[in-house]
Amino acid sequence: MGAGRRGDIEMQIQDFRKLKKAFDEYVAGFDDCIKTAPSRGHMRSYLRGQMGPLPRKSIEPIALEAGTSPRTLQEFLSIHRWDHEAVGQRLRGMVRRDHADENAIAVIDESSFPKCGDKTPGVQRQYCGATGKIDNCVTAVHVGYAAGSFHALLDADLYLPEIWASDLERRRSARIPDDVVFRPKWRIALDLLGRSIAEGIRFRWLAADEAYGGIAAFRQEVAKAGLIYM
């Protein structure tokens, strides 16, 4: 092995060690939002899997790479209790503290996830961005934050179609809380945006696609918040 090649590998190892230290410090900032030590360990395994080189970032390959039973990691994601609202608040607090910018941009966008069957909360045939067509999927609305070269997701919520919101038996079977009601996507976006602003995040601009910009009530609420929108 040549000296240059050896030096490159040593640099990569040093970079990896720095990244691991930064990752551990960052994730530790959320430990008090997750009640038990095993659950905190599962969270780290899941996040490492999402950040790593696995071609399929689903539960089984992530669990196997981490030396964990796939069923155990699945139970962590599906039934273990942790304070997701506290996690969101902690994240937004970090962005507010470390990345405040007077020209920050709020970015409204959706993501869709193809699903088989009809049991997953919110699933129905609707436009799916992942497949580029009408498909069986669930959709979430997100608020992102962009300032200079920094960008992050601040908040997200599931879109619950009207057919789900009005079907009491289906809701209860999927354990959807009674206080969750139908909201159009633009209303979800405004609620998420309002939550970030109420927690001290400051934006100057807002960007969204025409599905949002075409709603007069959405534009009016954005203008009331003092944001310049595109």
Side-chain angles (χ1 to χ4, degrees):
M1 180 186 293
R5 178 62 174 164
R6 188 183 306 112
D8 290 343
I9 292 174
E10 289 173 353
M11 286 295 293
Q12 291 173 11
I13 292 173
Q14 291 175 13
D15 290 342
F16 177 78
R17 286 173 176 164
K18 290 178 183 178
L19 179 62
K20 182 181 183 302
K21 182 175 184 294
F23 171 84
D24 290 340
E25 290 175 351
Y26 176 76
V27 176
F30 298 89
D31 277 351
D32 60 328
C33 305
I34 299 176
K35 188 174 182 179
T36 67
S39 288
R40 291 193 287 271
H42 295 324
M43 176 186 69
R44 283 163 169 76
S45 296
Y46 181 72
L47 293 176
R48 288 191 190 103
Q50 290 292 343
M51 294 172 61
L54 289 170
R56 290 182 60 248
K57 298 181 186 297
S58 55
I59 295 301
E60 185 173 3
I62 289 176
L64 294 177
E65 183 184 54
T68 301
S69 163
R71 181 172 179 176
T72 300
L73 191 58
Q74 181 65 56
E75 288 175 348
F76 163 69
L77 293 174
S78 60
I79 63 176
H80 286 204
R81 297 197 173 188
W82 49 282
D83 194 339
H84 69 278
E85 292 185 356
V87 169
Q89 290 174 351
R90 185 67 48 79
L91 168 65
R92 292 186 289 275
M94 291 176 174
V95 172
R96 182 184 65 243
R97 180 194 67 203
D98 299 332
H99 302 283
D101 190 306
E102 62 180 12
N103 289 309
I105 305 167
V107 182
I108 306 296
D109 204 358
E110 301 169 16
S111 57
S112 303
F113 310 92
K115 290 287 183 180
C116 297
D118 60 359
K119 303 301 183 185
T120 303
V123 68
Q124 71 168 13
R125 288 191 61 78
Q126 55 191 323
Y127 180 76
C128 178
T131 61
K133 61 182 181 179
I134 300 298
D135 219 336
N136 207 53
C137 65
V138 296
T139 299
V141 179
H142 305 268
V143 171
Y145 179 93
S149 62
F150 175 81
H151 54 90
L153 287 176
L154 294 178
D155 210 347
D157 209 347
L158 176 71
Y159 170 65
L160 191 70
E162 286 186 88
I163 192 172
W164 269 90
S166 60
D167 189 333
L168 184 60
E169 182 177 347
R170 195 180 190 192
R171 290 172 58 109
R172 288 182 174 171
S173 177
R175 295 187 292 180
I176 297 173
D178 290 342
D179 61 350
V180 176
V181 299
F182 170 73
R183 292 176 296 163
K185 294 172 185 176
W186 64 267
R187 182 72 261 172
I188 296 174
L190 288 174
D191 290 345
L192 296 175
L193 183 67
R195 180 154 59 192
S196 289
I197 292 173
E199 292 178 13
I201 302 289
R202 293 293 173 259
F203 306 100
R204 185 177 185 188
W205 302 84
L206 180 139
D209 68 24
E210 66 272 17
Y212 295 85
I215 305 296
F218 177 81
R219 298 195 308 271
Q220 290 166 2
E221 290 296 319
V222 170
K224 285 180 183 177
L227 303 182
I228 305 168
Y229 59 84
M230 294 184 291

